């Protein structure tokens, strides 16, 4: 996955046009469920560790604790208006030191 506009990335990814949220998961299992509107404003930035390059989801409307480092997958999910996106997340790793 290359860094760049998340909107461009989503145009190249097969995500259901009816998706309301994007589950974004890191290589270590950290997962957030981002509203599509918030994700479209985001970018896949680059983190460098030595010679390795890892994509990182960053968006202006997301708090820093919800940025996803080492993005492994981005999916699409249609959630009902009454659904809680937190039910589709695993933020446990965010609390780790």
């Amino acid at each position: 996955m290359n860094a760049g506009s998340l909107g461009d990335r989503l145009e190249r990814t097969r995500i259901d046009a009816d998706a309301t949220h994007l589950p974004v998961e890191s290589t270590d299992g950290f997962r957030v469920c981002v509203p599509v509107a918030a994700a479209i404003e985001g970018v896949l930035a680059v983190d460098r560790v030595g010679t390795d390059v890892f994509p990182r989801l960053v968006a202006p409307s997301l708090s820093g604790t919800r940025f996803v480092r080492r993005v492994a997958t981005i999916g699409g999910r249609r959630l009902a208006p009454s659904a809680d996106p937190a039910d589709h997340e695993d933020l446990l790793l965010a609390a780790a030191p």
Side-chain angles (χ1 to χ4, degrees):
M1 186 178 295
N2 295 327
S5 164
L6 187 54
D8 291 344
R9 170 74 181 171
L10 295 176
E11 285 180 11
R12 296 187 308 267
T13 304
R14 295 180 187 202
I15 293 178
D16 187 344
D18 292 332
T20 59
H21 290 75
L22 302 176
V24 181
E25 187 166 346
S26 70
T27 56
D28 61 6
F30 179 83
R31 183 176 56 250
V32 298
C33 192
V34 179
V36 169
I40 294 300
E41 300 171 344
V43 296
L44 288 175
V46 173
D47 278 338
R48 288 188 184 266
V49 179
T51 59
D52 295 325
V53 177
F54 301 100
R56 178 180 199 184
L57 171 65
V58 180
S61 59
L62 297 177
S63 70
T65 59
R66 296 176 53 80
F67 292 174
V68 180
R69 293 180 180 206
R70 299 181 182 216
V71 172
T73 62
I74 300 175
R77 181 167 288 164
R78 181 177 175 83
L79 299 182
S82 61
D84 184 355
D87 292 340
H88 304 274
E89 299 183 330
D90 186 354
L91 305 179
L92 181 62
L93 296 173

